[in-house]
């Protein structure tokens, strides 16, 4: 890494941390008006009592006047009391404000991520950010790091000014030792990454073995195949022969490399004694001052260490700050809305794919190649093809989760990228292959952001085959799905989940319905019911149905056969069966062959 | 009294447990205790001599020697920490492995139905995950002993000033302890009350940023909805948090006033004694240091004791309960040796088998009787939850029947030597698991290695082409987790490998659980072919979800609501026009020429 790049990185890091602080400030201004005084108070508080103690000692050793000593004691105790009460008050406010701010920051980040284009979510920087954000209190850590940094600076500067007039030599020693520390640190920097990259996979492997021993599915395999000793041996060998020796090597290596700086920090105390004792013996420094300056010297070096330490910690959290900013700025832009002006009236729509090709960002392979077809109002389409042929990708493009690499998709002759995204989303009701339900009530999962209409709700529940299940629940529509928010929440079966997702798509009453493998988890009878009511379900809307089971194609007006990214065949079932050596024909016969005795 | 004895026996238990793991450790901990206890006193007394010298005769030579001694001691402790740290690290790591292996015996040996039970798993987590508890001797007892020794030392020092001082300090400490205790109680209750918020925040935040929810959120415009939920939870949480903080503040204020009184009395008295000449200035600082640390160590002792009592009791109780549950009951009953019998035929019979999970009302299997003769292929069909998987698990001896008996060649399987019995089964579970090892290791899994047989297994399971395409052939690791050269096997390829493993085992009874993932027609066909290959002529049980697969089976067993409702050949059952016929027709009819309306 070149010197310039490192400098740029550091610059970027600071500016991004600053950005984050500005967001924190905008989210909760009071925090800073409380934190700054608190930092100053807590930094100097220990030296306050040290100062008054100095006076006590000096009084004792010079005048020996009991009244004056007592007075000094009372003053010290009172000042400490007052400072503690003041700090307590500020801490109280600080804790409350910080807690609230941290959560609001999380909300800000979450909201931003929800707004950025889907395609961005797959980028590695965003995935890293998400992993870091999920891992705990990064916001709090950063706020604490900054606090530590500022307090370290305040301490260092304050104590420096106290001691520079009295004992500049000691200061020089401390600074020299500090520079030594920095040099050692710099030289050892690559150590950390070296050992981390060596040790992490070894640790992971050990954890993996430990994990397989606890896992339920592995539990079956291990018992049925008599692998108990086998797996225990693997674990033991891995830990004893790989992990422990490597970890010990790491420990020894790091201890040895840090020896000079750790040793000198320890010596620092002895050296301070030396200098100050000299002052007492030869320059008549008072004993009270002796102890006082001792504590200042160690405070000064602590301050420097705090600055260095928190700066380093900030660096570790730097990746987070960078991606945080990236997300916030990205979410502020309207994505791919083109003119964003077009509006689609509710009602019948036509869909056109015009020479659409697509490949995922940063990949070589074209997933879709030159797809063109038209769907007229009220038509239903089945999309079939082998795994990897591009079916789900086509759906994602239609949902505007990605933009075509070339070509265009139009609705009612308007290019979809010219429509405002949130307006466009209203046009589509989708059940994805990997649909998700939320840990809220059944009702909320179906209605979501739409307005609630009991009739419509009941109709959708009925159509998707959930009527009897809902009736059997003691809390009916208010039953919570999953258990996160309510211990009485229900874990529905895979089939019931799918029916819920179908009900949700129906409720939206969108102009286009997309169903991607909606019956994969349903048993034959339930699947049959969905097919039987397919016309009812789609009720004259435009519907697209994706399935491996060709049995679904009997219900749709048109069938699109994707093969290796191309639209290989398109038409009605009867037409496609006429094609000699046709893809559709051979797939259909392959499946049918298993049923017809 | 009884409680005390109970606690004592628990403590003894932890000692015996640690002794079992490592006897050497007791010696090491003892040495560490000795050094750590002495350290603060040495570091307190040497400065005392320096200060005394500086306030009396101020001989520079003497001071120099004293400081040199101080530095020498610092160096000693520094080096001791460094080397001792290494020794401790090494032993701790080794002990962790031993500890984990002891637990592994439970994971791997426990009756499977207990292993699956969520209450057992929770208990398991509490016991195993309790890293702190598993390190009693090294942490808790160590801290307790060190604190006790230091407490004794400080008490002695302070008593030389005036014995009443100790009483005074004890009084102050008692007050502080009461405050601390109340604070703990409230703090604990607070944790309990707010645990739900943490869960909710995490849930909501995760949904906002999780990639898997990205599609739903964008298509259904869910962001505002989630945001509102988050803010509501935040509002509730903040009011609880703030109330708690306010309560803390009251305690802090009380503590501050107590400290005020304490400071005046102690500093005042010691100062007086110094002025009067009863103690030297050096001793003055020693006493203040001792007073300062006295209450801390006392509190440390009491905290440790309380912590140990509560902790030890709870942990030991959990541990005992866990090991009781984990004692293998099923396997130990297996005494019959079948190796000597040299069976050529392999027949299974279920005789009036019923099964109910522990602590449940419902019977999952009811009165199932069926016989599977040598070489017969039995298809098992039925809805989800009908009992198919339980049936298989009983046959695999993962569970034991609640009523009835399962016979292998006329012998009750629960009496057969467990390892020998499982050798008779080749199983591919629906949620089969492969290890992150190489291809050949996953196939052989510790059995006798035969290159020819491995190749055969690969060919029969349809993996030949894939293996040929790999540079390292069968040495290739099937995941990239621990080997950069590893190849991630797709879902389909993994399934083939699981089949190869089953084939390699070459057991006389084959059990296959069809994967439910949606497969395209070609993949589906391949699946049936390869199942056919690995079954050969063996006795087979096949759980099917797609009724087409019964084509290659001899008989069909239909499960509904835990009972075996229909049994016979495909033709028989079709003629009966029962549940099976209904299901079959519904799946098959779409492949007929006329589309039913």
């Amino acid at each position: 890494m070149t010197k310039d790049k490192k400098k740029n990185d550091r610059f970027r890091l600071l500016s991004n941390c600053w950005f984050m602080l500005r967001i924190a400030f905008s989210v909760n201004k009071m925090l800073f008006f409380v934190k700054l005084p608190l930092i100053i108070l807590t930094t100097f508080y220990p030296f306050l009592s040290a100062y008054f103690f100095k006076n006590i000692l000096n009084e004792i050793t010079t005048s020996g006047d009991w009244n004056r000593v007592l007075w000094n004691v009372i003053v010290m105790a009172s000042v400490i009391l007052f400072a503690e009460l003041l700090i307590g008050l500020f801490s109280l406010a600080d804790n409350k404000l910080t807690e609230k701010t941290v959560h609001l920051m999380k909300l800000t980040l979450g909201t931003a991520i929800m707004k950025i284009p889907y395609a961005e979510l797959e980028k590695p920087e965003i995935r890293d950010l998400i992993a870091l954000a999920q891992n705990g209190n990064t916001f709090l850590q950063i706020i604490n790091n900054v606090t530590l940094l500022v307090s370290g600076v305040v301490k260092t500067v304050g104590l420096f000014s106290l001691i520079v007039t009295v004992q500049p030599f000691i200061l020089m020693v401390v600074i020299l030792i500090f520079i030594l520390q920095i040099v050692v640190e710099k030289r050892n920097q690559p150590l950390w990454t070296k050992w981390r990259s060596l040790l992490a996979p070894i640790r992971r492997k050990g954890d993996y073995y430990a994990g397989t021993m606890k896992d339920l599915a592995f539990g079956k395999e291990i018992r049925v195949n008599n692998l108990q000793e086998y797996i225990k041996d693997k674990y033991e060998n891995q830990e004893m022969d790989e992990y422990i020796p490597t970890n010990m090597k790491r420990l020894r290596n790091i201890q040895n490399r840090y020896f000079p700086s750790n040793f000198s920090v320890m010596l620092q105390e002895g050296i301070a004694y030396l200098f100050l004792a000299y002052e007492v013996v030869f320059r008549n420094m008072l004993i009270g001052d002796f102890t006082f300056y001792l504590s200042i010297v160690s405070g000064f070096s602590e301050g420097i260490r705090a600055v260095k330490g928190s700066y380093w910690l900030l660096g570790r959290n730097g990746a987070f700050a960078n991606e945080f900013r990236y997300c916030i700025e990205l979410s502020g832009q309207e994505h791919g809305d083109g003119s964003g002006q077009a509006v689609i009236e509710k009602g019948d729509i036509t869909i056109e794919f015009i020479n659409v090709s697509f490949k995922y960002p940063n990949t070589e392979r074209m997933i879709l190649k030159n797809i063109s077809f038209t769907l007229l109002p009220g038509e239903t389409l089945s999309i079939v093809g082998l795994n990897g042929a591009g079916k789900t990708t086509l759906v994602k493009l239609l949902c505007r989760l990605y933009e075509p690499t070339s070509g265009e998709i139009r609705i009612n002759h308007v290019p979809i990228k010219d429509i405002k995204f949130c307006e466009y989303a209203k046009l589509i009701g989708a059940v994805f292959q990997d649909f998700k339900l939320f840990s809220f009530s059944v009702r909320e999962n179906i209605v979501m952001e739409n307005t609630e209409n009991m009739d419509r709700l009941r109709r959708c529940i009925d159509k998707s085959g959930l009527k009897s299940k809902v009736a059997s629940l003691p809390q009916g529509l208010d039953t919570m799905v999953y258990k996160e928010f309510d211990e009485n929440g229900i874990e529905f079966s895979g089939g019931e989940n799918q029916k819920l997702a179908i009900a949700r798509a129906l409720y939206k009453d969108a102009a286009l319905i997309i169903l991607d493998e909606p019956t994969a988890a349903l048993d034959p009878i339930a699947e049959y019911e969905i097919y039987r009511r397919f016309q009812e379900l789609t009720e004259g809307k435009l519907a697209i149905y994706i399935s491996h089971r060709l049995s679904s194609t009997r219900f749709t007006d048109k069938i699109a056969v994707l093969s290796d990214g191309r639209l290989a065949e398109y038409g009605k079932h009867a037409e496609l069966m006429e094609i000699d050596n046709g893809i559709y024909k051979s797939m259909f016969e392959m499946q049918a062959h298993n049923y017809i005795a | 009294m009884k409680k005390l004895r109970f606690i004592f026996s628990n403590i003894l238990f932890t000692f015996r447990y640690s002794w079992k793991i490592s006897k050497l450790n007791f010696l090491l901990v003892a040495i560490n205790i000795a050094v750590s206890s002495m350290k603060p006193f040495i570091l307190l007394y040497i400065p005392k001599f320096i200060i005394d010298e500086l306030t009396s005769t101020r001989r520079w030579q003497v001071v120099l020697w004293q400081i040199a001694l101080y530095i020498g001691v610092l160096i000693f402790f520094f080096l001791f920490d460094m080397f001792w740290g290494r020794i401790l690290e090494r032993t701790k790591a080794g002990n962790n492995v031993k500890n984990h292996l002891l637990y592994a015996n439970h994971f791997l040996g426990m009756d499977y139905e207990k292993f699956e039970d969520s209450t057992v798993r929770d208990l398991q987590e509490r016991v195993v995950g309790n890293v702190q508890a598993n390190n009693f001797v090294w942490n808790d007892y160590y801290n307790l002993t060190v604190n006790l020794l230091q407490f004794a030392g400080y008490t002695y020092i302070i008593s030389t000033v005036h014995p009443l001082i100790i009483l005074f300090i004890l009084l102050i400490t008692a007050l502080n302890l009461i405050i601390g205790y109340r604070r703990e109680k409230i703090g604990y209750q607070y944790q309990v009350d707010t645990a739900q918020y943490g869960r909710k925040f995490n849930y909501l935040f995760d949904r906002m940023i999780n990639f898997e929810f990205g599609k739903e959120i964008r298509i259904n415009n869910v962001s505002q909805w989630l945001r509102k939920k988050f803010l509501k939870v935040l509002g509730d949480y903040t009011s609880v948090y703030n109330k708690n903080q306010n309560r803390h503040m009251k305690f802090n204020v009380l503590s501050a006033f107590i400290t005020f009184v304490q400071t005046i009395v102690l500093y005042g008295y010691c100062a007086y004694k110094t002025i009067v000449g009863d103690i030297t200035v050096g001793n003055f600082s020693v006493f203040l240091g001792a007073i300062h640390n006295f209450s801390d160590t006392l509190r440390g002792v009491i905290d440790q004791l309380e912590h140990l009592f509560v902790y030890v009791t709870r942990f030991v109780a959990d541990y005992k309960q866990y090991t009781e549950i984990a004692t293998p009951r099923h396997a130990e009953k297996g005494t019959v040796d079948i190796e000597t019998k040299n069976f050529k035929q392999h027949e299974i019979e279920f005789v009036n088998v019923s099964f109910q999970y522990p602590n449940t009302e419902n019977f999952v299997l009811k009165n199932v009787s069926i016989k599977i003769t040598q070489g017969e292929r039995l298809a098992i069909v039925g809805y989800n939850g009908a009992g198919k998987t339980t049936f298989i698990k009983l046959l695999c001896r993962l569970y034991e029947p609640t009523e009835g008996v399962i016979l292998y060649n006329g012998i009750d399987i629960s009496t057969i030597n467990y390892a020998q019995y499982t050798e008779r089964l080749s199983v591919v579970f629906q949620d089969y698991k492969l290890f992150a090892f190489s291809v050949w290791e996953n196939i052989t899994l510790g059995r006798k290695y035969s290159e020819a047989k491995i190749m055969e297994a690969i060919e029969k399971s349809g993996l030949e082409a894939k293996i040929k395409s790999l540079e390292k052939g069968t040495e290739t690791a099937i995941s990239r987790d621990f080997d950069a050269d590893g190849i991630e096997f797709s879902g389909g390829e993994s399934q083939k490998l699981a089949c190869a493993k089953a084939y390699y085992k070459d057991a006389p009874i084959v059990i296959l659980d069809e994967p439910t993932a949606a497969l395209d027609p070609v993949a589906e066909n391949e699946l049936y072919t390869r199942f056919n290959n690995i079954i050969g002529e063996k006795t087979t049980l096949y759980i099917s979800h797609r009724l087409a697969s019964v084509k290659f089976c001899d008989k069909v067993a239909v499960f509904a609501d835990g009972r075996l409702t229909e049994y016979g050949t495909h033709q028989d059952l079709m003629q009966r026009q029962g549940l099976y016929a209904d299901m079959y027709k519904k799946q098959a009819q779409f492949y007929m020429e006329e589309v039913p309306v």
Side-chain angles (χ1 to χ4, degrees), chain A residues 225-284:
Chain A
N225 290 303
N226 267 319
L227 296 175
Q228 291 91 339
E229 293 305 312
Y230 180 75
I231 196 72
K232 275 198 303 194
D233 284 343
K234 286 256 176 198
Y235 170 76
E236 191 170 2
N237 293 338
Q238 174 64 18
E239 293 292 290
M240 302 302 285
D241 299 337
E242 295 270 343
Y243 179 72
I244 291 184
T246 315
N247 195 30
M248 290 311 293
K249 250 193 247 166
R250 176 192 71 102
L251 184 65
R252 279 198 297 268
N253 186 221
I254 289 188
Q255 271 188 343
N256 290 342
R257 291 286 288 262
Y258 274 94
F259 185 82
S261 79
N262 287 343
F263 191 74
S264 52
V265 165
M266 179 210 48
L267 274 190
Q268 195 173 267
E269 197 179 342
I271 294 179
Y273 263 88
L274 211 58
F275 272 98
L276 290 173
Y278 183 85
E279 290 291 314
V280 171
V281 170
F282 295 109
R283 302 270 181 82
N284 292 320

Side-chain angles (χ1 to χ4, degrees), chain A residues 126-155:
Chain A
I126 304 296
R127 283 188 175 276
D128 285 342
L129 168 74
I130 287 176
L132 280 170
Q134 273 171 326
N135 260 341
N137 276 324
T138 324
F139 286 114
L140 189 60
Q141 278 170 9
I142 292 186
I143 290 183
N144 286 343
N145 288 156
V146 173
T147 307
L148 213 65
L149 181 64
V150 172
S151 125
V153 168
V154 166
K155 197 176 201 172

Side-chain angles (χ1 to χ4, degrees), chain A residues 134 232 255 554 591 595, chain B residues 86 105 206 584 587 590:
Chain A
Q134 273 171 326
K232 275 198 303 194
Q255 271 188 343
R554 310 309 297 278
Q591 274 195 348
Y595 283 97
Chain B
R86 295 182 189 180
N105 284 333
D206 178 77
Y584 192 88
Q587 265 195 0
F590 302 113

Side-chain angles (χ1 to χ4, degrees), chain A residues 96 99 113 116 134 204 208 214 221 223 232 255 269 387 439 449 504 508 554 591 595, chain B residues 70 86 105 110 121 203 206 216 218-219 221 237 246 436 481 501 584 587 590-592:
Chain A
K96 290 182 186 173
E99 190 69 13
I113 291 185
I116 65 182
Q134 273 171 326
R204 250 195 357 257
Y208 171 76
K214 267 206 262 184
E221 299 282 351
R223 281 162 176 71
K232 275 198 303 194
Q255 271 188 343
E269 197 179 342
N387 253 348
S439 288
E449 267 284 284
R504 172 199 286 169
K508 204 170 170 187
R554 310 309 297 278
Q591 274 195 348
Y595 283 97
Chain B
Y70 187 62
R86 295 182 189 180
N105 284 333
M110 205 188 309
R121 287 188 87 74
Y203 175 79
D206 178 77
E216 298 286 355
R218 282 153 183 76
I219 295 298
N221 256 326
Y237 171 68
N246 291 341
D481 280 350
K501 172 180 90 180
Y584 192 88
Q587 265 195 0
F590 302 113
Y591 294 96
M592 313 298 193

Side-chain angles (χ1 to χ4, degrees), chain A residues 588-597, chain B residues 525 548 551 584 591:
Chain A
F588 191 87
E589 285 178 345
M590 214 189 284
Q591 274 195 348
H593 166 74
N594 287 324
Y595 283 97
I596 300 167
Chain B
N525 227 38
K551 269 201 73 169
Y584 192 88
Y591 294 96

Side-chain angles (χ1 to χ4, degrees), chain B residues 554-587:
Chain B
D554 302 316
K555 296 256 180 60
V556 181
V558 182
F559 279 78
D561 193 31
R563 287 183 203 283
L564 177 59
T565 51
E566 296 171 26
Y567 174 64
T569 63
H570 167 79
Q571 285 79 359
D572 291 344
L573 295 186
M574 287 305 281
Q575 275 194 340
R576 237 172 97 158
Q577 301 211 358
L579 176 61
Y580 176 83
D582 191 31
M583 275 171 42
Y584 192 88
K585 269 198 283 225
K586 287 195 161 130
Q587 265 195 0

Side-chain angles (χ1 to χ4, degrees), chain A residues 215-432:
Chain A
D215 179 82
L216 274 179
F218 271 114
K220 292 203 291 254
E221 299 282 351
I222 291 176
R223 281 162 176 71
V224 167
N225 290 303
N226 267 319
L227 296 175
Q228 291 91 339
E229 293 305 312
Y230 180 75
I231 196 72
K232 275 198 303 194
D233 284 343
K234 286 256 176 198
Y235 170 76
E236 191 170 2
N237 293 338
Q238 174 64 18
E239 293 292 290
M240 302 302 285
D241 299 337
E242 295 270 343
Y243 179 72
I244 291 184
T246 315
N247 195 30
M248 290 311 293
K249 250 193 247 166
R250 176 192 71 102
L251 184 65
R252 279 198 297 268
N253 186 221
I254 289 188
Q255 271 188 343
N256 290 342
R257 291 286 288 262
Y258 274 94
F259 185 82
S261 79
N262 287 343
F263 191 74
S264 52
V265 165
M266 179 210 48
L267 274 190
Q268 195 173 267
E269 197 179 342
I271 294 179
Y273 263 88
L274 211 58
F275 272 98
L276 290 173
Y278 183 85
E279 290 291 314
V280 171
V281 170
F282 295 109
R283 302 270 181 82
N284 292 320
M285 180 190 261
L286 295 172
I287 196 69
D289 291 26
F290 173 75
T291 50
F292 183 60
Y293 285 117
L294 265 180
S295 65
I296 291 195
V297 167
S298 62
F300 179 76
S301 85
E302 262 168 37
I304 301 184
R305 265 207 301 277
V307 170
K308 177 174 80 81
S310 50
Y311 183 70
W312 182 72
L313 278 171
L314 266 179
R316 284 234 305 234
N317 287 324
F320 185 81
N322 292 341
E323 267 97 57
F324 176 80
R325 182 180 202 162
Y326 180 67
C327 274
I328 303 279
E329 289 179 339
L330 198 58
S331 72
Q333 308 161 2
E334 296 287 348
H335 64 117
D337 268 349
S339 62
Q341 297 304 331
V343 160
I344 299 292
E345 297 298 325
K346 212 173 162 113
D348 293 339
I349 54 169
T350 53
I351 295 187
E352 288 168 86
F353 269 63
I354 303 175
N355 277 332
V356 170
S357 298
F358 177 76
K359 70 175 165 78
Y360 284 99
N362 301 325
T363 59
E364 295 287 312
R365 192 166 88 93
M366 283 306 235
I367 306 285
L368 292 176
K369 302 166 194 162
N370 254 315
I371 308 271
S372 296
F373 65 88
T374 307
L375 280 177
L376 301 171
E379 277 198 316
T380 52
L381 173 71
S382 267
I383 304 182
V384 299
L386 299 183
N387 253 348
K391 309 190 292 293
T392 304
T393 311
L394 201 151
V395 163
K396 285 183 186 170
L397 285 178
L398 190 51
C399 290
R400 271 182 84 187
L401 295 170
Y402 292 94
E403 305 276 312
T405 312
S406 65
E408 204 173 59
I409 304 175
R410 294 192 193 153
I411 276 196
N412 285 358
H413 311 297
V414 174
I416 61 177
K417 64 181 193 296
D418 283 347
I419 306 174
K420 216 169 149 70
F421 187 81
C422 48
E423 289 300 318
Y424 183 77
K426 291 191 188 152
L427 294 172
I428 303 183
V431 179
F432 298 108

Side-chain angles (χ1 to χ4, degrees), chain A residues 53 64 66 76-78 81 84 88-89 92 95-96 99 103 106-107 111 113-114 116 118 121-122 127 130 134 204-205 208-209 213-218 220-221 223-227 231-232 234-236 239 247-248 252 255-256 259 266-267 269 273-274 280-281 284 386-387 399 401 422 425 432 434-436 438-440 444 449 484-485 504 508 524-525 528 531 548 551 554-555 590-591 594-595, chain B residues 47 54 58 70-71 74 78 82 86 89 97 100-101 104-105 107 110 112 115-116 121 125 199-201 203 205-206 208-209 211-213 215-216 218-221 223 225 227 229-230 234 237 241-242 245-246 249 256 260 264 267-268 275 288 383 418-419 422 427 429 431-437 441 445 481-482 501 505 518-521 524-525 546 548 551 584 586-587 589-593 595:
Chain A
F53 182 69
W66 168 236
M76 180 176 89
S78 313
L81 176 66
E84 274 194 17
L89 224 68
L92 177 67
N95 287 342
K96 290 182 186 173
E99 190 69 13
H103 283 97
K106 263 190 149 170
L107 182 61
T111 314
I113 291 185
M114 287 196 287
I116 65 182
Y118 185 77
L121 285 180
E122 289 195 317
R127 283 188 175 276
I130 287 176
Q134 273 171 326
R204 250 195 357 257
K205 204 166 184 183
Y208 171 76
Y209 290 134
M213 297 198 276
K214 267 206 262 184
D215 179 82
L216 274 179
F218 271 114
K220 292 203 291 254
E221 299 282 351
R223 281 162 176 71
V224 167
N225 290 303
N226 267 319
L227 296 175
I231 196 72
K232 275 198 303 194
K234 286 256 176 198
Y235 170 76
E236 191 170 2
E239 293 292 290
N247 195 30
M248 290 311 293
R252 279 198 297 268
Q255 271 188 343
N256 290 342
F259 185 82
M266 179 210 48
L267 274 190
E269 197 179 342
Y273 263 88
L274 211 58
V280 171
V281 170
N284 292 320
L386 299 183
N387 253 348
C399 290
L401 295 170
C422 48
F432 298 108
D434 55 350
F435 66 86
K436 294 286 186 216
F438 290 93
S439 288
F440 307 140
E444 281 181 293
E449 267 284 284
E484 266 97 0
F485 281 68
R504 172 199 286 169
K508 204 170 170 187
I525 307 275
Y528 170 77
Y531 288 164
H548 281 121
S551 42
R554 310 309 297 278
F555 290 103
M590 214 189 284
Q591 274 195 348
N594 287 324
Y595 283 97
Chain B
L54 288 176
R58 287 159 59 166
Y70 187 62
I71 295 181
L74 284 177
F78 176 78
M82 202 167 111
R86 295 182 189 180
E89 179 79 22
V97 174
H100 210 94
L101 283 170
N105 284 333
F107 302 151
M110 205 188 309
Y112 191 73
F115 193 51
E116 255 188 341
R121 287 188 87 74
E125 266 320 291
R199 248 196 355 257
K200 290 182 185 172
F201 280 130
Y203 175 79
F205 185 62
D206 178 77
M208 288 184 199
I209 65 179
F211 181 64
E212 292 181 8
F213 282 76
K215 299 201 282 273
E216 298 286 355
R218 282 153 183 76
I219 295 298
N220 291 308
N221 256 326
S223 55
W225 189 51
R227 213 186 133 80
K229 292 233 174 228
F230 191 96
L234 183 59
Y237 171 68
Y241 181 85
N242 289 352
Q245 287 294 312
N246 291 341
M249 181 63 182
F260 177 72
I264 294 185
Y267 275 72
I275 291 177
L288 287 176
Y383 299 143
Y418 191 79
T422 51
V427 190
F429 291 109
D431 55 348
Y432 64 85
K433 284 285 206 184
L434 299 171
F435 289 97
F437 306 152
E441 272 191 289
L445 277 183
D481 280 350
F482 307 119
K501 172 180 90 180
K505 191 175 177 183
L519 296 176
D520 64 50
E524 202 175 48
N525 227 38
R546 301 270 291 139
K551 269 201 73 169
Y584 192 88
K586 287 195 161 130
Q587 265 195 0
Q589 67 186 307
F590 302 113
Y591 294 96
M592 313 298 193
E593 278 315 314
V595 176

